[in-house]
Amino acid sequence: MASNRPAPEAPFAPSQHSSSDTFGYGSYRGEEGPWEEWNPTEDSLAPVRGKHRVAKQRGGGFARSSTVLGVGVIAAFSAGGMASANTGKPPVSIAMPDLPSVGSLISDDDSGQDAAPALAGFGAEVSEATAGNSGGVTADAGEALRERIMAQAESQQTQVAARAEAAAAKAEAAAVAKADQAAKAAAAAAKKKAEQAAKEKAEAARLAELAKQYTLPTSSYTLTATFGQAGAYWSSGYHTGLDFAAPTGTLIKAVHSGTITEAGWAGSYGYRTILTLDDGTELWFCHQSSINVSAGQKVGTGDVIGRVGATGNVTGAHLHLEVHPDGAANGIDPMAWLHSKGLNP
């Protein structure tokens, strides 16, 4: 194997530096004697053996021994140099393995001053890259969490709004139904009221028409006893008719057209005239002072049939009027019957 070409000789001068100078190059120590120039070759550079042996890194990663050696080199560079050996042998350059995927952290030359900054920069770059990646991952996770929370909040708001809208719609529907029910009730009440008013109007018209056909039995009178009134004056224990008190001789008129079926004395009723209407209703006119008609005679509404008197079981002059539907033995309230004919005694 060819050796390196010898370098030109250079003048030698002892170094003026103190014995504390490191690395030994260009320095002089009295106890070691003068230095001679040494040109290393491949043959003269034997592999370093022992605990400082450096193995080549294979497979693209840091070996454990390389890591320990690299840490030692960095510590030496940081301290300002490497101490020279006391063996008397010239210093040997140390080859550092390549650091894959990191780049050239240590230069190809043997300058230690440039290696330390490179390794320091590598640590900073790794820290920055790690921090950047971690920050990016954290930011992505935080953004995903924020979006998820926002989506959940938006979903909850949508649900709340939907429930509120449903409740409002339900309330509105209930209000509409209630208003509709109230409107129907009001309409029904108004209809019923209108029907009642129409019925009353029709009844008033009918009574007005009947009033043309019916009349009160006398005038200038005072009502002194009504139907059903209790007392000892009446043999049945209660009053069976309607009393019109009036002076003796006051005219008595036919309430409606019909036929005279009886006219004469009737015991406790005194002089009595019975007028039978076309529907079979009998009208009894009692306690007359005189009778102006006879049985079988046809009379019209308002015709005079007798005069007020005080005959029979009485305490004073008056007309006792009784109403017997279909000629029944027991009569009904003459006041109600007169009202049904449009008359108001």
PDB file of all heavy atoms in Angstrom, residues 269-309:
ATOM      1  N   TYR A 269    -172.672  29.196  44.593  1.00  0.00           N
ATOM      2  CA  TYR A 269    -172.129  30.049  43.521  1.00  0.00           C
ATOM      3  C   TYR A 269    -173.116  31.190  43.181  1.00  0.00           C
ATOM      4  O   TYR A 269    -172.761  32.076  42.416  1.00  0.00           O
ATOM      5  CB  TYR A 269    -171.887  29.216  42.264  1.00  0.00           C
ATOM      6  CG  TYR A 269    -170.636  28.306  42.352  1.00  0.00           C
ATOM      7  CD1 TYR A 269    -170.813  26.939  42.541  1.00  0.00           C
ATOM      8  CD2 TYR A 269    -169.371  28.840  42.246  1.00  0.00           C
ATOM      9  CE1 TYR A 269    -169.727  26.109  42.632  1.00  0.00           C
ATOM     10  CE2 TYR A 269    -168.266  28.003  42.332  1.00  0.00           C
ATOM     11  CZ  TYR A 269    -168.414  26.638  42.520  1.00  0.00           C
ATOM     12  OH  TYR A 269    -167.333  25.819  42.614  1.00  0.00           O
ATOM     13  N   GLY A 270    -174.358  31.160  43.785  1.00  0.00           N
ATOM     14  CA  GLY A 270    -175.343  32.176  43.462  1.00  0.00           C
ATOM     15  C   GLY A 270    -175.807  32.002  42.031  1.00  0.00           C
ATOM     16  O   GLY A 270    -175.844  30.885  41.491  1.00  0.00           O
ATOM     17  N   TYR A 271    -176.081  33.118  41.331  1.00  0.00           N
ATOM     18  CA  TYR A 271    -176.453  33.034  39.917  1.00  0.00           C
ATOM     19  C   TYR A 271    -175.166  32.821  39.084  1.00  0.00           C
ATOM     20  O   TYR A 271    -174.225  33.613  39.156  1.00  0.00           O
ATOM     21  CB  TYR A 271    -177.182  34.301  39.466  1.00  0.00           C
ATOM     22  CG  TYR A 271    -178.578  34.406  40.037  1.00  0.00           C
ATOM     23  CD1 TYR A 271    -178.863  35.303  41.079  1.00  0.00           C
ATOM     24  CD2 TYR A 271    -179.600  33.615  39.528  1.00  0.00           C
ATOM     25  CE1 TYR A 271    -180.133  35.402  41.594  1.00  0.00           C
ATOM     26  CE2 TYR A 271    -180.896  33.718  40.056  1.00  0.00           C
ATOM     27  CZ  TYR A 271    -181.140  34.591  41.074  1.00  0.00           C
ATOM     28  OH  TYR A 271    -182.426  34.682  41.598  1.00  0.00           O
ATOM     29  N   ARG A 272    -175.269  31.759  38.283  1.00  0.00           N
ATOM     30  CA  ARG A 272    -174.069  31.357  37.523  1.00  0.00           C
ATOM     31  C   ARG A 272    -174.421  31.158  36.054  1.00  0.00           C
ATOM     32  O   ARG A 272    -175.475  30.589  35.726  1.00  0.00           O
ATOM     33  CB  ARG A 272    -173.486  30.062  38.088  1.00  0.00           C
ATOM     34  CG  ARG A 272    -172.262  29.570  37.388  1.00  0.00           C
ATOM     35  CD  ARG A 272    -171.770  28.262  37.995  1.00  0.00           C
ATOM     36  NE  ARG A 272    -172.738  27.180  37.749  1.00  0.00           N
ATOM     37  CZ  ARG A 272    -172.584  25.915  38.182  1.00  0.00           C
ATOM     38  NH1 ARG A 272    -171.506  25.587  38.918  1.00  0.00           N
ATOM     39  NH2 ARG A 272    -173.520  24.990  37.945  1.00  0.00           N
ATOM     40  N   THR A 273    -173.479  31.610  35.176  1.00  0.00           N
ATOM     41  CA  THR A 273    -173.608  31.376  33.742  1.00  0.00           C
ATOM     42  C   THR A 273    -172.369  30.601  33.290  1.00  0.00           C
ATOM     43  O   THR A 273    -171.228  30.998  33.598  1.00  0.00           O
ATOM     44  CB  THR A 273    -173.700  32.697  32.956  1.00  0.00           C
ATOM     45  OG1 THR A 273    -174.873  33.419  33.382  1.00  0.00           O
ATOM     46  CG2 THR A 273    -173.745  32.447  31.481  1.00  0.00           C
ATOM     47  N   ILE A 274    -172.580  29.490  32.515  1.00  0.00           N
ATOM     48  CA  ILE A 274    -171.456  28.668  32.001  1.00  0.00           C
ATOM     49  C   ILE A 274    -171.376  28.860  30.488  1.00  0.00           C
ATOM     50  O   ILE A 274    -172.360  28.587  29.779  1.00  0.00           O
ATOM     51  CB  ILE A 274    -171.646  27.187  32.345  1.00  0.00           C
ATOM     52  CG1 ILE A 274    -171.652  27.001  33.872  1.00  0.00           C
ATOM     53  CG2 ILE A 274    -170.540  26.347  31.710  1.00  0.00           C
ATOM     54  CD1 ILE A 274    -171.899  25.567  34.305  1.00  0.00           C
ATOM     55  N   LEU A 275    -170.184  29.335  30.015  1.00  0.00           N
ATOM     56  CA  LEU A 275    -169.919  29.545  28.589  1.00  0.00           C
ATOM     57  C   LEU A 275    -168.928  28.478  28.133  1.00  0.00           C
ATOM     58  O   LEU A 275    -167.815  28.414  28.645  1.00  0.00           O
ATOM     59  CB  LEU A 275    -169.347  30.945  28.346  1.00  0.00           C
ATOM     60  CG  LEU A 275    -168.873  31.245  26.917  1.00  0.00           C
ATOM     61  CD1 LEU A 275    -170.032  31.160  25.912  1.00  0.00           C
ATOM     62  CD2 LEU A 275    -168.226  32.626  26.861  1.00  0.00           C
ATOM     63  N   THR A 276    -169.370  27.638  27.146  1.00  0.00           N
ATOM     64  CA  THR A 276    -168.510  26.560  26.626  1.00  0.00           C
ATOM     65  C   THR A 276    -167.926  27.014  25.297  1.00  0.00           C
ATOM     66  O   THR A 276    -168.667  27.350  24.362  1.00  0.00           O
ATOM     67  CB  THR A 276    -169.312  25.262  26.428  1.00  0.00           C
ATOM     68  OG1 THR A 276    -169.909  24.879  27.689  1.00  0.00           O
ATOM     69  CG2 THR A 276    -168.405  24.159  25.922  1.00  0.00           C
ATOM     70  N   LEU A 277    -166.584  27.024  25.246  1.00  0.00           N
ATOM     71  CA  LEU A 277    -165.882  27.460  24.035  1.00  0.00           C
ATOM     72  C   LEU A 277    -165.832  26.314  23.016  1.00  0.00           C
ATOM     73  O   LEU A 277    -166.198  25.167  23.316  1.00  0.00           O
ATOM     74  CB  LEU A 277    -164.469  27.921  24.379  1.00  0.00           C
ATOM     75  CG  LEU A 277    -164.360  29.006  25.465  1.00  0.00           C
ATOM     76  CD1 LEU A 277    -162.883  29.392  25.698  1.00  0.00           C
ATOM     77  CD2 LEU A 277    -165.189  30.235  25.100  1.00  0.00           C
ATOM     78  N   ASP A 278    -165.366  26.626  21.835  1.00  0.00           N
ATOM     79  CA  ASP A 278    -165.336  25.622  20.757  1.00  0.00           C
ATOM     80  C   ASP A 278    -164.378  24.474  21.061  1.00  0.00           C
ATOM     81  O   ASP A 278    -164.583  23.368  20.559  1.00  0.00           O
ATOM     82  CB  ASP A 278    -164.926  26.276  19.444  1.00  0.00           C
ATOM     83  CG  ASP A 278    -165.971  27.292  18.969  1.00  0.00           C
ATOM     84  OD1 ASP A 278    -167.136  27.185  19.414  1.00  0.00           O
ATOM     85  OD2 ASP A 278    -165.611  28.186  18.185  1.00  0.00           O
ATOM     86  N   ASP A 279    -163.340  24.698  21.895  1.00  0.00           N
ATOM     87  CA  ASP A 279    -162.388  23.624  22.224  1.00  0.00           C
ATOM     88  C   ASP A 279    -162.854  22.809  23.416  1.00  0.00           C
ATOM     89  O   ASP A 279    -162.128  21.943  23.897  1.00  0.00           O
ATOM     90  CB  ASP A 279    -161.000  24.197  22.477  1.00  0.00           C
ATOM     91  CG  ASP A 279    -160.963  25.152  23.672  1.00  0.00           C
ATOM     92  OD1 ASP A 279    -162.028  25.381  24.294  1.00  0.00           O
ATOM     93  OD2 ASP A 279    -159.863  25.664  24.007  1.00  0.00           O
ATOM     94  N   GLY A 280    -164.051  23.072  23.977  1.00  0.00           N
ATOM     95  CA  GLY A 280    -164.607  22.309  25.092  1.00  0.00           C
ATOM     96  C   GLY A 280    -164.342  22.926  26.440  1.00  0.00           C
ATOM     97  O   GLY A 280    -164.801  22.394  27.474  1.00  0.00           O
ATOM     98  N   THR A 281    -163.588  24.005  26.534  1.00  0.00           N
ATOM     99  CA  THR A 281    -163.285  24.627  27.813  1.00  0.00           C
ATOM    100  C   THR A 281    -164.536  25.346  28.321  1.00  0.00           C
ATOM    101  O   THR A 281    -165.189  26.100  27.577  1.00  0.00           O
ATOM    102  CB  THR A 281    -162.132  25.639  27.660  1.00  0.00           C
ATOM    103  OG1 THR A 281    -160.983  24.963  27.166  1.00  0.00           O
ATOM    104  CG2 THR A 281    -161.807  26.269  28.994  1.00  0.00           C
ATOM    105  N   GLU A 282    -164.840  25.110  29.649  1.00  0.00           N
ATOM    106  CA  GLU A 282    -165.976  25.758  30.272  1.00  0.00           C
ATOM    107  C   GLU A 282    -165.499  26.929  31.137  1.00  0.00           C
ATOM    108  O   GLU A 282    -164.565  26.778  31.921  1.00  0.00           O
ATOM    109  CB  GLU A 282    -166.741  24.786  31.155  1.00  0.00           C
ATOM    110  CG  GLU A 282    -167.450  23.694  30.381  1.00  0.00           C
ATOM    111  CD  GLU A 282    -168.244  22.768  31.286  1.00  0.00           C
ATOM    112  OE1 GLU A 282    -168.167  22.948  32.532  1.00  0.00           O
ATOM    113  OE2 GLU A 282    -168.929  21.875  30.762  1.00  0.00           O
ATOM    114  N   LEU A 283    -166.170  28.088  30.996  1.00  0.00           N
ATOM    115  CA  LEU A 283    -165.887  29.265  31.799  1.00  0.00           C
ATOM    116  C   LEU A 283    -167.114  29.507  32.692  1.00  0.00           C
ATOM    117  O   LEU A 283    -168.241  29.669  32.209  1.00  0.00           O
ATOM    118  CB  LEU A 283    -165.643  30.488  30.911  1.00  0.00           C
ATOM    119  CG  LEU A 283    -164.476  30.382  29.898  1.00  0.00           C
ATOM    120  CD1 LEU A 283    -164.365  31.669  29.082  1.00  0.00           C
ATOM    121  CD2 LEU A 283    -163.161  30.085  30.602  1.00  0.00           C
ATOM    122  N   TRP A 284    -166.894  29.565  34.053  1.00  0.00           N
ATOM    123  CA  TRP A 284    -167.968  29.749  35.008  1.00  0.00           C
ATOM    124  C   TRP A 284    -167.948  31.197  35.509  1.00  0.00           C
ATOM    125  O   TRP A 284    -166.956  31.675  36.041  1.00  0.00           O
ATOM    126  CB  TRP A 284    -167.825  28.818  36.200  1.00  0.00           C
ATOM    127  CG  TRP A 284    -167.989  27.336  35.871  1.00  0.00           C
ATOM    128  CD1 TRP A 284    -168.147  26.779  34.669  1.00  0.00           C
ATOM    129  CD2 TRP A 284    -168.034  26.293  36.832  1.00  0.00           C
ATOM    130  NE1 TRP A 284    -168.285  25.435  34.765  1.00  0.00           N
ATOM    131  CE2 TRP A 284    -168.211  25.088  36.116  1.00  0.00           C
ATOM    132  CE3 TRP A 284    -167.940  26.208  38.234  1.00  0.00           C
ATOM    133  CZ2 TRP A 284    -168.326  23.844  36.736  1.00  0.00           C
ATOM    134  CZ3 TRP A 284    -168.054  24.964  38.832  1.00  0.00           C
ATOM    135  CH2 TRP A 284    -168.219  23.783  38.083  1.00  0.00           C
ATOM    136  N   PHE A 285    -169.078  31.896  35.349  1.00  0.00           N
ATOM    137  CA  PHE A 285    -169.242  33.260  35.830  1.00  0.00           C
ATOM    138  C   PHE A 285    -170.244  33.170  36.994  1.00  0.00           C
ATOM    139  O   PHE A 285    -171.453  32.916  36.778  1.00  0.00           O
ATOM    140  CB  PHE A 285    -169.797  34.161  34.733  1.00  0.00           C
ATOM    141  CG  PHE A 285    -168.905  34.235  33.491  1.00  0.00           C
ATOM    142  CD1 PHE A 285    -169.057  33.280  32.474  1.00  0.00           C
ATOM    143  CD2 PHE A 285    -167.977  35.248  33.333  1.00  0.00           C
ATOM    144  CE1 PHE A 285    -168.273  33.349  31.341  1.00  0.00           C
ATOM    145  CE2 PHE A 285    -167.201  35.304  32.185  1.00  0.00           C
ATOM    146  CZ  PHE A 285    -167.323  34.350  31.189  1.00  0.00           C
ATOM    147  N   CYS A 286    -169.770  33.432  38.244  1.00  0.00           N
ATOM    148  CA  CYS A 286    -170.598  33.178  39.433  1.00  0.00           C
ATOM    149  C   CYS A 286    -170.884  34.472  40.219  1.00  0.00           C
ATOM    150  O   CYS A 286    -170.211  35.486  40.015  1.00  0.00           O
ATOM    151  CB  CYS A 286    -169.928  32.177  40.346  1.00  0.00           C
ATOM    152  SG  CYS A 286    -169.441  30.626  39.514  1.00  0.00           S
ATOM    153  N   HIS A 287    -171.892  34.390  41.148  1.00  0.00           N
ATOM    154  CA  HIS A 287    -172.304  35.453  42.074  1.00  0.00           C
ATOM    155  C   HIS A 287    -172.875  36.669  41.311  1.00  0.00           C
ATOM    156  O   HIS A 287    -172.795  37.808  41.784  1.00  0.00           O
ATOM    157  CB  HIS A 287    -171.144  35.920  42.976  1.00  0.00           C
ATOM    158  CG  HIS A 287    -170.470  34.818  43.723  1.00  0.00           C
ATOM    159  ND1 HIS A 287    -171.147  33.984  44.584  1.00  0.00           N
ATOM    160  CD2 HIS A 287    -169.159  34.429  43.760  1.00  0.00           C
ATOM    161  CE1 HIS A 287    -170.285  33.112  45.116  1.00  0.00           C
ATOM    162  NE2 HIS A 287    -169.056  33.375  44.620  1.00  0.00           N
ATOM    163  N   GLN A 288    -173.515  36.434  40.175  1.00  0.00           N
ATOM    164  CA  GLN A 288    -174.096  37.526  39.373  1.00  0.00           C
ATOM    165  C   GLN A 288    -175.370  38.081  40.076  1.00  0.00           C
ATOM    166  O   GLN A 288    -176.108  37.354  40.758  1.00  0.00           O
ATOM    167  CB  GLN A 288    -174.473  37.026  37.983  1.00  0.00           C
ATOM    168  CG  GLN A 288    -173.282  36.548  37.148  1.00  0.00           C
ATOM    169  CD  GLN A 288    -173.700  36.124  35.763  1.00  0.00           C
ATOM    170  OE1 GLN A 288    -174.271  36.933  35.014  1.00  0.00           O
ATOM    171  NE2 GLN A 288    -173.452  34.847  35.452  1.00  0.00           N
ATOM    172  N   SER A 289    -175.531  39.338  39.840  1.00  0.00           N
ATOM    173  CA  SER A 289    -176.764  39.961  40.327  1.00  0.00           C
ATOM    174  C   SER A 289    -177.898  39.754  39.324  1.00  0.00           C
ATOM    175  O   SER A 289    -179.088  39.736  39.701  1.00  0.00           O
ATOM    176  CB  SER A 289    -176.582  41.461  40.575  1.00  0.00           C
ATOM    177  OG  SER A 289    -176.201  42.116  39.367  1.00  0.00           O
ATOM    178  N   SER A 290    -177.531  39.552  38.025  1.00  0.00           N
ATOM    179  CA  SER A 290    -178.527  39.269  36.984  1.00  0.00           C
ATOM    180  C   SER A 290    -177.864  38.520  35.837  1.00  0.00           C
ATOM    181  O   SER A 290    -176.647  38.600  35.645  1.00  0.00           O
ATOM    182  CB  SER A 290    -179.184  40.559  36.470  1.00  0.00           C
ATOM    183  OG  SER A 290    -178.208  41.388  35.868  1.00  0.00           O
ATOM    184  N   ILE A 291    -178.692  37.799  35.038  1.00  0.00           N
ATOM    185  CA  ILE A 291    -178.189  37.024  33.897  1.00  0.00           C
ATOM    186  C   ILE A 291    -178.892  37.556  32.648  1.00  0.00           C
ATOM    187  O   ILE A 291    -180.118  37.692  32.624  1.00  0.00           O
ATOM    188  CB  ILE A 291    -178.486  35.528  34.080  1.00  0.00           C
ATOM    189  CG1 ILE A 291    -177.779  35.000  35.352  1.00  0.00           C
ATOM    190  CG2 ILE A 291    -178.035  34.738  32.858  1.00  0.00           C
ATOM    191  CD1 ILE A 291    -178.123  33.554  35.667  1.00  0.00           C
ATOM    192  N   ASN A 292    -178.145  37.804  31.573  1.00  0.00           N
ATOM    193  CA  ASN A 292    -178.695  38.383  30.354  1.00  0.00           C
ATOM    194  C   ASN A 292    -178.778  37.377  29.197  1.00  0.00           C
ATOM    195  O   ASN A 292    -179.209  37.749  28.101  1.00  0.00           O
ATOM    196  CB  ASN A 292    -177.847  39.568  29.870  1.00  0.00           C
ATOM    197  CG  ASN A 292    -177.930  40.773  30.811  1.00  0.00           C
ATOM    198  OD1 ASN A 292    -178.582  40.721  31.882  1.00  0.00           O
ATOM    199  ND2 ASN A 292    -177.264  41.859  30.450  1.00  0.00           N
ATOM    200  N   VAL A 293    -178.447  36.130  29.392  1.00  0.00           N
ATOM    201  CA  VAL A 293    -178.450  35.118  28.325  1.00  0.00           C
ATOM    202  C   VAL A 293    -179.166  33.875  28.826  1.00  0.00           C
ATOM    203  O   VAL A 293    -179.462  33.737  30.021  1.00  0.00           O
ATOM    204  CB  VAL A 293    -177.024  34.738  27.869  1.00  0.00           C
ATOM    205  CG1 VAL A 293    -176.350  35.916  27.164  1.00  0.00           C
ATOM    206  CG2 VAL A 293    -176.182  34.264  29.051  1.00  0.00           C
ATOM    207  N   SER A 294    -179.415  32.945  27.903  1.00  0.00           N
ATOM    208  CA  SER A 294    -180.066  31.691  28.241  1.00  0.00           C
ATOM    209  C   SER A 294    -179.298  30.534  27.648  1.00  0.00           C
ATOM    210  O   SER A 294    -178.490  30.707  26.727  1.00  0.00           O
ATOM    211  CB  SER A 294    -181.528  31.682  27.727  1.00  0.00           C
ATOM    212  OG  SER A 294    -181.516  31.887  26.313  1.00  0.00           O
ATOM    213  N   ALA A 295    -179.555  29.329  28.139  1.00  0.00           N
ATOM    214  CA  ALA A 295    -178.824  28.140  27.686  1.00  0.00           C
ATOM    215  C   ALA A 295    -179.061  27.907  26.195  1.00  0.00           C
ATOM    216  O   ALA A 295    -180.175  28.094  25.702  1.00  0.00           O
ATOM    217  CB  ALA A 295    -179.265  26.926  28.479  1.00  0.00           C
ATOM    218  N   GLY A 296    -178.044  27.503  25.485  1.00  0.00           N
ATOM    219  CA  GLY A 296    -178.109  27.243  24.051  1.00  0.00           C
ATOM    220  C   GLY A 296    -177.848  28.465  23.181  1.00  0.00           C
ATOM    221  O   GLY A 296    -177.784  28.346  21.952  1.00  0.00           O
ATOM    222  N   GLN A 297    -177.621  29.611  23.789  1.00  0.00           N
ATOM    223  CA  GLN A 297    -177.409  30.838  23.016  1.00  0.00           C
ATOM    224  C   GLN A 297    -175.946  30.963  22.602  1.00  0.00           C
ATOM    225  O   GLN A 297    -175.040  30.665  23.359  1.00  0.00           O
ATOM    226  CB  GLN A 297    -177.841  32.046  23.865  1.00  0.00           C
ATOM    227  CG  GLN A 297    -177.732  33.362  23.153  1.00  0.00           C
ATOM    228  CD  GLN A 297    -178.167  34.544  24.019  1.00  0.00           C
ATOM    229  OE1 GLN A 297    -178.803  34.348  25.101  1.00  0.00           O
ATOM    230  NE2 GLN A 297    -177.837  35.755  23.595  1.00  0.00           N
ATOM    231  N   LYS A 298    -175.702  31.397  21.339  1.00  0.00           N
ATOM    232  CA  LYS A 298    -174.351  31.646  20.808  1.00  0.00           C
ATOM    233  C   LYS A 298    -173.978  33.096  21.128  1.00  0.00           C
ATOM    234  O   LYS A 298    -174.775  34.005  20.907  1.00  0.00           O
ATOM    235  CB  LYS A 298    -174.296  31.442  19.305  1.00  0.00           C
ATOM    236  CG  LYS A 298    -174.596  30.032  18.835  1.00  0.00           C
ATOM    237  CD  LYS A 298    -173.395  29.127  19.098  1.00  0.00           C
ATOM    238  CE  LYS A 298    -173.637  27.731  18.515  1.00  0.00           C
ATOM    239  NZ  LYS A 298    -172.503  26.828  18.738  1.00  0.00           N
ATOM    240  N   VAL A 299    -172.820  33.319  21.622  1.00  0.00           N
ATOM    241  CA  VAL A 299    -172.328  34.660  21.925  1.00  0.00           C
ATOM    242  C   VAL A 299    -170.947  34.835  21.294  1.00  0.00           C
ATOM    243  O   VAL A 299    -170.246  33.869  20.997  1.00  0.00           O
ATOM    244  CB  VAL A 299    -172.246  34.896  23.442  1.00  0.00           C
ATOM    245  CG1 VAL A 299    -173.669  34.866  24.070  1.00  0.00           C
ATOM    246  CG2 VAL A 299    -171.339  33.894  24.117  1.00  0.00           C
ATOM    247  N   GLY A 300    -170.596  36.096  21.126  1.00  0.00           N
ATOM    248  CA  GLY A 300    -169.273  36.423  20.603  1.00  0.00           C
ATOM    249  C   GLY A 300    -168.427  37.091  21.666  1.00  0.00           C
ATOM    250  O   GLY A 300    -168.886  37.433  22.760  1.00  0.00           O
ATOM    251  N   THR A 301    -167.148  37.302  21.329  1.00  0.00           N
ATOM    252  CA  THR A 301    -166.218  37.913  22.270  1.00  0.00           C
ATOM    253  C   THR A 301    -166.693  39.333  22.599  1.00  0.00           C
ATOM    254  O   THR A 301    -166.952  40.135  21.699  1.00  0.00           O
ATOM    255  CB  THR A 301    -164.804  37.973  21.664  1.00  0.00           C
ATOM    256  OG1 THR A 301    -164.371  36.642  21.343  1.00  0.00           O
ATOM    257  CG2 THR A 301    -163.817  38.592  22.635  1.00  0.00           C
ATOM    258  N   GLY A 302    -166.837  39.614  23.936  1.00  0.00           N
ATOM    259  CA  GLY A 302    -167.211  40.941  24.395  1.00  0.00           C
ATOM    260  C   GLY A 302    -168.698  41.129  24.587  1.00  0.00           C
ATOM    261  O   GLY A 302    -169.121  42.206  25.066  1.00  0.00           O
ATOM    262  N   ASP A 303    -169.536  40.135  24.224  1.00  0.00           N
ATOM    263  CA  ASP A 303    -170.979  40.266  24.434  1.00  0.00           C
ATOM    264  C   ASP A 303    -171.292  40.248  25.931  1.00  0.00           C
ATOM    265  O   ASP A 303    -170.689  39.491  26.700  1.00  0.00           O
ATOM    266  CB  ASP A 303    -171.751  39.131  23.759  1.00  0.00           C
ATOM    267  CG  ASP A 303    -171.698  39.240  22.233  1.00  0.00           C
ATOM    268  OD1 ASP A 303    -171.287  40.321  21.732  1.00  0.00           O
ATOM    269  OD2 ASP A 303    -171.984  38.228  21.549  1.00  0.00           O
ATOM    270  N   VAL A 304    -172.260  41.094  26.357  1.00  0.00           N
ATOM    271  CA  VAL A 304    -172.657  41.155  27.759  1.00  0.00           C
ATOM    272  C   VAL A 304    -173.538  39.947  28.072  1.00  0.00           C
ATOM    273  O   VAL A 304    -174.524  39.672  27.386  1.00  0.00           O
ATOM    274  CB  VAL A 304    -173.429  42.455  28.051  1.00  0.00           C
ATOM    275  CG1 VAL A 304    -173.904  42.462  29.512  1.00  0.00           C
ATOM    276  CG2 VAL A 304    -172.557  43.660  27.788  1.00  0.00           C
ATOM    277  N   ILE A 305    -173.135  39.223  29.154  1.00  0.00           N
ATOM    278  CA  ILE A 305    -173.885  38.023  29.528  1.00  0.00           C
ATOM    279  C   ILE A 305    -174.505  38.153  30.918  1.00  0.00           C
ATOM    280  O   ILE A 305    -175.329  37.300  31.314  1.00  0.00           O
ATOM    281  CB  ILE A 305    -172.977  36.771  29.493  1.00  0.00           C
ATOM    282  CG1 ILE A 305    -171.817  36.938  30.477  1.00  0.00           C
ATOM    283  CG2 ILE A 305    -172.464  36.522  28.093  1.00  0.00           C
ATOM    284  CD1 ILE A 305    -170.937  35.710  30.607  1.00  0.00           C
ATOM    285  N   GLY A 306    -174.185  39.251  31.717  1.00  0.00           N
ATOM    286  CA  GLY A 306    -174.774  39.429  33.032  1.00  0.00           C
ATOM    287  C   GLY A 306    -174.117  40.625  33.711  1.00  0.00           C
ATOM    288  O   GLY A 306    -173.386  41.402  33.096  1.00  0.00           O
ATOM    289  N   ARG A 307    -174.376  40.719  35.105  1.00  0.00           N
ATOM    290  CA  ARG A 307    -173.849  41.835  35.873  1.00  0.00           C
ATOM    291  C   ARG A 307    -173.264  41.309  37.185  1.00  0.00           C
ATOM    292  O   ARG A 307    -173.700  40.282  37.704  1.00  0.00           O
ATOM    293  CB  ARG A 307    -174.935  42.857  36.145  1.00  0.00           C
ATOM    294  CG  ARG A 307    -175.442  43.545  34.863  1.00  0.00           C
ATOM    295  CD  ARG A 307    -176.544  44.552  35.165  1.00  0.00           C
ATOM    296  NE  ARG A 307    -177.049  45.173  33.935  1.00  0.00           N
ATOM    297  CZ  ARG A 307    -176.559  46.275  33.389  1.00  0.00           C
ATOM    298  NH1 ARG A 307    -175.554  46.878  33.978  1.00  0.00           N
ATOM    299  NH2 ARG A 307    -177.114  46.763  32.293  1.00  0.00           N
ATOM    300  N   VAL A 308    -172.318  42.095  37.714  1.00  0.00           N
ATOM    301  CA  VAL A 308    -171.653  41.709  38.963  1.00  0.00           C
ATOM    302  C   VAL A 308    -172.665  41.822  40.100  1.00  0.00           C
ATOM    303  O   VAL A 308    -173.470  42.752  40.146  1.00  0.00           O
ATOM    304  CB  VAL A 308    -170.428  42.604  39.238  1.00  0.00           C
ATOM    305  CG1 VAL A 308    -169.820  42.301  40.612  1.00  0.00           C
ATOM    306  CG2 VAL A 308    -169.390  42.458  38.147  1.00  0.00           C
ATOM    307  N   GLY A 309    -172.604  40.816  41.062  1.00  0.00           N
ATOM    308  CA  GLY A 309    -173.507  40.843  42.204  1.00  0.00           C
ATOM    309  C   GLY A 309    -172.822  40.224  43.418  1.00  0.00           C
ATOM    310  O   GLY A 309    -171.597  40.006  43.449  1.00  0.00           O
TER     311      GLY A 309
END
